[in-house]
Every structure is written in structure tokens, then in C-alpha cells.
Amino acid sequence: MPTILITGCSSGFGLETARHFLAQGWTVIATMRNPKPDLLPASDRLTILPLDVTCPDSIAAAVAAAGEIDVLVNNAGIGWLNAVEGTPMPIVREIFGTNTFGTIAMIQAVLPQFRARRAGVIINVTSSVTLKNYDLLSVYTASKAAVNALTEVIALELAPFGIRSHVVLPGQAPGTAFGSNARERMVQAGGFPEPYAEMVQGVFARLAAGTDEDKTQAEDVVAAIWRIATDPAAPVRLPAGADAVALFNG
């Protein structure tokens, strides 16, 4: 069976994707900054590896340990919610370091083996916020929009080598830790600038509105990743979740 390497498997989309592919009989390389072996069912088709996508040595070690893979899923990411004025430059660099540069570094690390076999699939998980502008998501959106553009261009670059490149666009996912992690990081960085207080209240009200059924579930993202991994005719961009599909279709 094919082998898939997934980044950011400690929770959310990455964890559920690893579970699904393992259940379908694939060999799964699940990577995490801090490996937790008990998160996934024991299997001789499962390898859990430490990986920090911002560290070149960590990437090299993980890719070497993984060996030959067929599909790379770049899922590791950092959430952030604040006005650009309230986003310190170290935070900007941290977000782009993981969401954008980490994705590029992982792609570069696996391309030699993909080119040698003239086969391989790259799946980048970004966000549907790149489809519509939202207050207080300027830096986060920029980090993900860059990956969208990268994905579309390398799809052209890599097609002659038999390599596919795709992007999955999830919507708002209340079942993941994205929101709580983003808020915690924001508080640690000093909170919102006071002049944006009214805007902040409006954003939090919008995030709390609607029902979970109207938003993205982990299984929606897993289904999109599965389709791309198994269907050579899958589109380069694929929304995941009812809210993401609505935005995508305009």
C-alpha cells in the first residue's frame, strides 16, 4: 500500500487524517513536534516521528527516517488573531516560519525522491479565509495565501515530472484547537490594541455565530485529503466543509 507523511498530527486535521489513512490500509508517517505514541492505534504500518518544520535538521532527520513516501500532507500550522498593528514582528516571523516557510521546506525535502520516481502528491492544507477577507486575520491570511499561490505555481512546475500539487481549504472548524491556541498566543503577545476593541468584539461574535453543522468538521478535511491522494483528476484547489464550499462557490 502507499505511504503518506503528514505534518502536525498531534491534534485536529492531522490526527484525524492519520487515523483515516491507517484505517484504509496505508502506511502512515505521522509527525509531531512532541510525539505522543498513544494518540493513534498501534500498527506495524504506523511510524510516529518528531518533526519541527521550522528546523532544517529536524526536517532532514524526519524525511530520512520516513524513507520512500507517496504523499506529503503539509498540515502543521500556527493560528493567529489580531490586527496587523497588534502583531509583533517576532510573531509575524513565527507564523510565516511555520505556515509558509515550513511548507516550502518540506516540499523541497521530498521533491528529489518524487522526481526520481516521477510520481508523488503534495497536499497543502491552508484556509478558506484566503477566499474572503476577514478583520484581524491579516497576517494569518497572508501566510496561507502565499501557500495557495505556491501550490498553483508548483503544480505547473512539477507536472512534467509526474508530481501533483494541491491545496485543501478548510473553513472555520470549532472542533479543532485552532481558535483557543490563537487566542492564547495573542494574550501571551500582549493582547489587542485598545483602538480595535469594538472590532474585536464583532469578530468574536461572528466566530460564535451559527451552528457547528454550518462549519467545517475534521471529517470534511480528511475526505478532501483522501480524494486528492487517490484521485489523479482532483482539482488543484479543493474546499473542505460546508462554509468553505459556500465561500469557494461565491
Side-chain angles (χ1 to χ4, degrees):
M1 292 296 287
T3 297
I4 185 169
L5 188 157
I6 309 160
T7 70
C9 288
S10 61
S11 64
F13 303 149
L15 179 58
E16 295 309 316
T17 299
R19 283 180 177 148
H20 180 80
F21 277 80
L22 197 60
Q24 298 304 313
W26 282 51
T27 297
V28 174
I29 313 296
T31 72
M32 314 171 190
R33 279 192 184 223
N34 301 298
K36 301 174 183 176
D38 58 338
L39 289 178
L40 290 160
S43 170
D44 58 3
R45 291 180 287 101
L46 171 67
T47 301
I48 297 177
L49 295 175
L51 173 62
D52 178 349
V53 299
T54 68
C55 174
D57 290 343
S58 180
I59 291 173
V63 171
E68 188 172 292
I69 67 170
D70 301 282
V71 178
L72 167 67
V73 178
N74 283 309
N75 169 73
I78 292 177
W80 178 253
L81 185 71
N82 208 330
V84 69
E85 185 178 355
T87 305
M89 283 308 299
I91 295 292
V92 174
R93 294 187 180 96
E94 180 185 6
I95 292 168
F96 273 82
T98 296
N99 296 358
T100 311
F101 305 147
T103 294
I104 295 172
M106 285 301 301
I107 292 170
Q108 290 180 337
V110 303
L111 278 181
Q113 62 165 286
F114 281 4
R115 279 192 301 99
R117 298 199 314 274
R118 302 189 72 82
V121 182
I122 297 164
I123 305 172
N124 299 323
V125 180
T126 64
S127 173
S128 65
V129 301
T130 59
L131 302 173
K132 180 179 178 180
N133 295 329
Y134 291 102
D135 311 30
L136 308 182
L137 285 171
S138 49
V139 172
Y140 175 77
T141 299
S143 73
K144 292 296 191 176
V147 176
N148 289 355
L150 172 85
T151 304
E152 294 188 341
V153 174
I154 67 172
L156 300 175
E157 292 178 358
L158 300 177
F161 303 105
I163 303 166
R164 295 193 283 118
S165 175
H166 302 260
V167 64
V168 172
L169 302 150
Q172 183 183 344
T176 71
F178 173 88
S180 59
N181 289 345
R183 293 186 192 192
E184 181 181 354
R185 189 171 289 107
M186 175 270 295
V187 170
Q188 292 174 347
F192 292 100
E194 192 281 329
Y196 296 87
E198 184 175 347
M199 184 183 299
V200 170
Q201 292 176 2
V203 168
F204 284 153
R206 186 191 75 235
L207 291 174
T211 65
D212 287 357
E213 288 74 20
D214 300 326
K215 298 171 184 176
T216 297
Q217 308 302 315
E219 55 263 33
D220 299 324
V221 179
V222 172
I225 292 172
W226 175 257
R227 177 182 173 187
I228 292 170
T230 59
D231 179 7
V236 172
R237 285 192 179 205
L238 192 61
D243 50 346
V245 170
L247 284 175
F248 189 81
N249 292 332

